[in-house]
Amino acid sequence: MASKVEFAEFVADQLSGAGIITCKKMFGEYGLYCNGKFFALICDDQLFIKFTDAVKSEHPELTEAPPYEGAKNHFLIENLDDKATLSAIAAATCANLPEPKPKNGRKK
């Protein structure tokens, strides 16, 4: 089932304390970026944030689940009402993920 754009917009707003949150539609679902760094997915109107050991140690209560069949476990964020905690989790996740590789320009 494809996620609804309204849900993606709500989640992006809830995460806005972490930085500039952008959504990109991907195969009926959404990829989330914080300051240009890919860190989360919205699948079936559920928020999945990439797994990091640092976030796991700070938030051991978070559930782990794959966002789609065959995917690695992510944190399934079930409580979307606490904007401050969501933003803190997103910021900590992004701080512990590698920087994106620069895109190569066209060769002349």
Side-chain angles (χ1 to χ4, degrees):
M1 173 174 94
S3 295
K4 296 177 188 74
V5 67
E6 297 84 8
F7 182 79
E9 290 170 348
F10 169 74
V11 170
D13 182 63
Q14 291 296 90
L15 296 167
S16 63
I20 299 170
I21 305 296
T22 54
C23 295
K24 290 189 181 180
K25 193 159 185 158
M26 303 172 151
F27 309 107
E29 304 297 353
Y30 293 88
L32 295 175
Y33 296 77
C34 181
N35 300 326
K37 190 181 283 190
F38 179 72
F39 77 101
L41 293 165
I42 294 175
C43 297
D44 294 330
D45 286 335
Q46 295 179 302
L47 174 61
F48 294 88
I49 294 181
K50 284 189 172 187
F51 180 90
T52 63
D53 289 328
V55 172
K56 182 64 174 179
S57 67
E58 289 178 35
H59 299 276
E61 76 283 1
L62 292 176
T63 302
E64 294 176 43
Y68 53 88
E69 190 175 325
K72 293 180 181 179
N73 276 355
H74 286 53
F75 294 118
L76 171 59
I77 309 299
E78 298 175 288
N79 179 1
L80 300 174
D81 295 328
D82 186 346
K83 193 171 185 173
T85 299
L86 287 173
S87 293
I89 290 170
T93 298
C94 290
N96 286 280
L97 292 174
E99 290 299 318
K101 294 178 182 174
K103 295 180 180 179
N104 292 332
R106 286 190 196 171
K107 295 186 179 186
K108 296 183 180 182

